Coordinates of all heavy atoms in Angstrom, one line a residue:
Chain A
M168 N 116.1 24.7 104.3 CA 117.5 25.0 104.4 C 117.7 26.3 103.5 O 116.9 26.6 102.7 CB 118.4 24.1 104.1 CG 118.5 23.6 102.6 SD 119.2 22.1 102.3 CE 117.9 20.9 103.0
M169 N 118.8 27.1 103.8 CA 119.1 28.4 103.1 C 120.5 28.3 102.6 O 121.5 27.9 103.3 CB 118.9 29.6 104.0 CG 117.5 29.9 104.4 SD 116.5 30.7 103.1 CE 117.2 32.4 103.2
L170 N 120.7 28.7 101.3 CA 122.1 28.8 100.8 C 122.3 30.3 100.6 O 121.5 31.0 100.0 CB 122.1 28.1 99.4 CG 121.7 26.6 99.4 CD1 121.8 26.2 97.9 CD2 122.5 25.7 100.2
F171 N 123.5 30.7 101.1 CA 123.8 32.1 100.9 C 125.1 32.1 100.0 O 126.2 31.7 100.3 CB 124.1 32.8 102.2 CG 122.9 33.0 103.1 CD1 122.4 31.9 103.8 CD2 122.2 34.1 103.0 CE1 121.3 32.0 104.6 CE2 121.1 34.3 103.8 CZ 120.5 33.2 104.7
D172 N 125.1 32.9 98.9 CA 126.2 33.0 98.0 C 126.8 34.4 98.2 O 126.4 35.4 97.6 CB 125.8 32.8 96.6 CG 127.1 32.6 95.8 OD1 128.2 32.6 96.2 OD2 126.9 32.5 94.5
E173 N 127.8 34.6 99.0 CA 128.5 35.8 99.3 C 127.5 37.0 99.5 O 127.5 38.0 98.7 CB 129.4 36.3 98.3 CG 130.5 35.2 98.1 CD 131.7 35.7 97.4 OE1 132.0 36.9 97.4 OE2 132.4 34.9 96.7
P174 N 126.5 36.8 100.4 CA 125.3 37.8 100.6 C 125.7 39.2 100.8 O 124.9 40.1 100.6 CB 124.5 37.2 101.7 CG 125.5 36.3 102.5 CD 126.6 35.8 101.5
T175 N 126.9 39.5 101.4 CA 127.2 40.9 101.8 C 128.4 41.5 100.9 O 128.7 42.5 101.2 CB 127.7 40.9 103.2 OG1 128.8 40.1 103.5 CG2 126.5 40.5 104.2
S176 N 128.8 40.7 99.9 CA 130.0 41.1 99.2 C 129.7 42.3 98.2 O 130.6 43.1 98.0 CB 130.6 40.1 98.3 OG 130.9 38.9 99.2
A177 N 128.5 42.5 97.8 CA 128.1 43.6 96.9 C 127.6 44.8 97.8 O 127.1 45.8 97.1 CB 127.0 43.2 95.9
L178 N 127.7 44.9 99.0 CA 127.1 46.0 99.9 C 128.1 46.8 100.3 O 129.2 46.6 100.5 CB 126.3 45.3 101.1 CG 125.3 44.3 100.8 CD1 124.7 43.8 102.2 CD2 124.1 45.0 100.1
D179 N 127.7 48.1 100.4 CA 128.5 49.1 101.1 C 128.7 48.8 102.5 O 127.8 48.1 103.2 CB 127.8 50.5 101.1 CG 127.7 51.1 99.6 OD1 128.5 50.6 98.8 OD2 126.8 52.0 99.4
P180 N 129.9 49.0 103.1 CA 130.2 48.5 104.4 C 129.2 48.8 105.5 O 128.9 48.0 106.3 CB 131.6 49.1 104.7 CG 132.2 49.5 103.4 CD 131.0 49.8 102.4
E181 N 128.6 50.0 105.5 CA 127.7 50.3 106.5 C 126.4 49.7 106.4 O 125.6 49.7 107.3 CB 127.5 51.8 106.7 CG 126.6 52.4 105.5 CD 127.2 52.8 104.2 OE1 128.3 52.2 103.9 OE2 126.7 53.6 103.4
L182 N 126.1 48.9 105.3 CA 124.8 48.1 105.1 C 125.0 46.7 105.5 O 124.0 46.0 105.6 CB 124.3 48.3 103.7 CG 124.1 49.8 103.2 CD1 123.8 49.8 101.8 CD2 123.0 50.5 104.1
V183 N 126.3 46.3 105.6 CA 126.5 44.8 105.9 C 125.9 44.3 107.2 O 125.3 43.3 107.2 CB 128.0 44.5 105.9 CG1 128.3 43.1 106.4 CG2 128.6 44.8 104.5
G184 N 125.9 45.2 108.2 CA 125.4 44.8 109.5 C 124.0 44.3 109.6 O 123.7 43.3 110.3
D185 N 123.1 45.1 108.9 CA 121.7 44.8 108.9 C 121.4 43.4 108.3 O 120.6 42.7 108.8 CB 120.9 45.7 108.2 CG 120.8 47.2 108.9 OD1 121.1 47.1 110.1 OD2 120.6 48.1 108.2
V186 N 122.1 43.1 107.2 CA 122.0 41.8 106.6 C 122.5 40.7 107.5 O 121.8 39.6 107.7 CB 122.6 41.9 105.2 CG1 122.6 40.3 104.6 CG2 121.9 42.7 104.2
L187 N 123.7 40.9 108.1 CA 124.3 39.8 109.0 C 123.2 39.6 110.2 O 123.2 38.4 110.6 CB 125.5 40.1 109.4 CG 126.8 40.2 108.2 CD1 128.1 40.6 109.0 CD2 126.8 38.8 107.7
Q188 N 122.7 40.7 110.7 CA 121.9 40.6 111.8 C 120.6 39.7 111.5 O 120.3 38.8 112.2 CB 121.3 41.9 112.4 CG 120.6 41.8 113.5 CD 121.4 41.3 114.7 OE1 122.5 41.6 114.9 NE2 120.8 40.2 115.4
V189 N 120.1 39.8 110.3 CA 118.9 39.0 109.8 C 119.4 37.5 109.8 O 118.7 36.6 110.2 CB 118.5 39.4 108.5 CG1 117.6 38.4 107.9 CG2 117.7 40.8 108.6
M190 N 120.6 37.3 109.3 CA 121.1 36.0 109.0 C 121.5 35.3 110.5 O 121.2 34.1 110.7 CB 122.4 36.0 108.3 CG 122.2 36.3 106.8 SD 123.7 36.6 105.9 CE 124.5 35.0 105.9
K191 N 122.0 36.2 111.4 CA 122.1 35.7 112.7 C 120.8 35.2 113.4 O 120.7 34.2 114.1 CB 122.8 36.7 113.7 CG 124.3 36.9 113.5 CD 124.8 38.0 114.3 CE 126.1 38.4 113.7 NZ 126.7 39.7 114.2
D192 N 119.8 36.1 113.2 CA 118.4 35.7 113.7 C 117.9 34.5 113.3 O 117.4 33.4 114.0 CB 117.4 36.8 113.5 CG 117.7 38.2 114.1 OD1 118.6 38.1 115.2 OD2 117.3 39.2 113.7
L193 N 118.2 34.3 112.0 CA 117.7 32.9 111.4 C 118.5 31.9 111.9 O 117.9 30.8 112.1 CB 118.2 33.0 109.8 CG 117.0 33.4 108.8 CD1 117.6 33.4 107.4 CD2 115.7 32.6 109.0
A194 N 119.8 31.9 112.1 CA 120.6 30.9 112.7 C 120.0 30.5 114.0 O 120.0 29.3 114.5 CB 122.0 31.2 112.6
S195 N 119.8 31.5 114.8 CA 119.2 31.3 116.1 C 117.9 30.6 116.2 O 117.6 29.9 117.2 CB 119.3 32.6 117.0 OG 118.3 33.5 116.5
E196 N 117.2 30.7 115.2 CA 116.0 29.9 115.2 C 116.2 28.6 114.7 O 115.1 27.8 114.5 CB 114.9 30.7 114.1 CG 114.4 32.0 114.5 CD 113.7 32.8 113.4 OE1 113.4 32.1 112.5 OE2 113.5 34.0 113.5
G197 N 117.3 28.3 114.3 CA 117.6 26.8 114.0 C 117.6 26.5 112.5 O 117.6 25.4 112.1
M198 N 117.6 27.5 111.7 CA 117.6 27.3 110.2 C 118.9 26.7 109.8 O 120.0 27.0 110.3 CB 117.4 28.7 109.4 CG 117.6 28.6 108.0 SD 116.3 27.6 107.2 CE 114.9 28.6 107.2
T199 N 118.8 25.7 108.9 CA 120.0 25.0 108.3 C 120.5 26.0 107.3 O 119.9 26.5 106.3 CB 119.6 23.7 107.8 OG1 118.9 22.8 108.6 CG2 120.9 22.9 107.2
M200 N 121.8 26.4 107.4 CA 122.3 27.3 106.5 C 123.8 27.0 106.0 O 124.6 26.5 106.8 CB 122.6 28.7 107.3 CG 121.2 29.3 107.5 SD 121.3 30.6 108.9 CE 122.2 31.9 108.1
M201 N 123.9 27.2 104.6 CA 125.3 27.0 104.1 C 125.6 28.4 103.5 O 124.9 29.0 102.6 CB 125.2 25.9 103.0 CG 126.7 25.8 102.2 SD 126.4 24.4 101.0 CE 128.0 24.5 100.2
V202 N 126.8 28.9 104.0 CA 127.0 30.3 103.8 C 128.5 30.5 103.1 O 129.5 30.1 103.9 CB 126.9 31.2 105.0 CG1 127.1 32.7 104.7 CG2 125.6 31.0 105.7
V203 N 128.6 30.9 101.8 CA 129.8 31.2 101.2 C 130.1 32.7 101.5 O 129.2 33.5 101.3 CB 129.7 30.9 99.7 CG1 131.1 31.6 99.1 CG2 129.7 29.5 99.5
T204 N 131.1 33.0 102.2 CA 131.4 34.3 102.8 C 132.7 34.8 103.0 O 133.7 33.9 103.0 CB 130.5 34.4 104.1 OG1 130.4 35.9 104.6 CG2 131.2 33.6 105.2
H205 N 132.9 36.0 103.1 CA 134.2 36.6 103.5 C 134.2 37.2 104.9 O 135.1 37.7 105.4 CB 134.7 37.6 102.6 CG 135.0 37.1 101.2 ND1 136.0 36.2 101.0 CD2 134.4 37.3 100.1 CE1 136.0 36.0 99.7 NE2 135.0 36.5 99.1
E206 N 132.9 37.1 105.5 CA 132.7 37.6 106.9 C 133.3 36.7 108.0 O 132.5 35.8 108.4 CB 131.1 38.0 107.1 CG 130.7 39.1 106.2 CD 131.3 40.4 106.5 OE1 131.6 40.7 107.6 OE2 131.4 41.2 105.6
M207 N 134.5 36.8 108.3 CA 135.1 35.9 109.2 C 134.4 36.0 110.7 O 134.3 35.1 111.3 CB 136.5 36.0 109.5 CG 137.3 35.9 108.1 SD 137.0 34.2 107.5 CE 137.5 34.6 105.8
G208 N 134.0 37.2 111.0 CA 133.4 37.5 112.3 C 132.0 36.8 112.4 O 131.8 36.1 113.4
F209 N 131.2 36.6 111.3 CA 129.9 36.0 111.3 C 130.3 34.5 111.3 O 129.6 33.8 112.2 CB 129.3 36.2 109.9 CG 128.1 35.4 109.7 CD1 126.8 35.9 110.2 CD2 128.0 34.3 109.0 CE1 125.7 35.1 110.1 CE2 126.9 33.5 108.9 CZ 125.7 34.0 109.5
A210 N 131.4 34.1 110.7 CA 131.7 32.6 110.8 C 132.0 32.2 112.2 O 131.6 31.1 112.7 CB 132.8 32.3 109.8
R211 N 132.9 33.0 112.9 CA 133.2 32.7 114.2 C 132.2 32.7 115.1 O 132.1 31.9 116.1 CB 134.3 33.7 114.6 CG 135.0 33.4 115.9 CD 135.9 34.5 116.3 NE 137.1 34.7 115.5 CZ 137.3 35.9 115.0 NH1 136.6 36.9 114.9 NH2 138.4 35.9 114.2
E212 N 131.3 33.8 115.0 CA 130.3 33.9 115.9 C 129.0 32.9 115.9 O 128.5 32.4 116.8 CB 129.7 35.3 115.9 CG 129.1 35.9 117.0 CD 128.7 37.4 116.8 OE1 129.4 38.1 116.1 OE2 127.5 37.7 117.1
V213 N 128.7 32.7 114.6 CA 127.4 32.0 114.3 C 127.6 30.6 113.7 O 126.9 29.6 114.0 CB 126.6 32.7 113.3 CG1 125.3 32.0 113.1 CG2 126.4 34.2 113.7

Side-chain angles (χ1 to χ4, degrees):
Chain A
M168 65 197 75
M169 292 278 285
L170 309 176
F171 291 86
D172 189 4
E173 302 198 26
T175 57
S176 298
L178 297 178
D179 291 338
E181 78 271 21
L182 303 175
V183 169
D185 289 341
V186 172
L187 288 182
Q188 189 54 52
V189 169
M190 291 168 65
K191 282 175 198 167
D192 294 345
L193 263 184
S195 67
E196 287 170 21
M198 174 64 78
T199 308
M200 293 161 67
M201 177 174 171
V202 188
V203 169
T204 187
H205 295 293
E206 294 292 333
M207 301 304 160
F209 176 84
R211 186 187 292 119
E212 206 180 315
V213 185

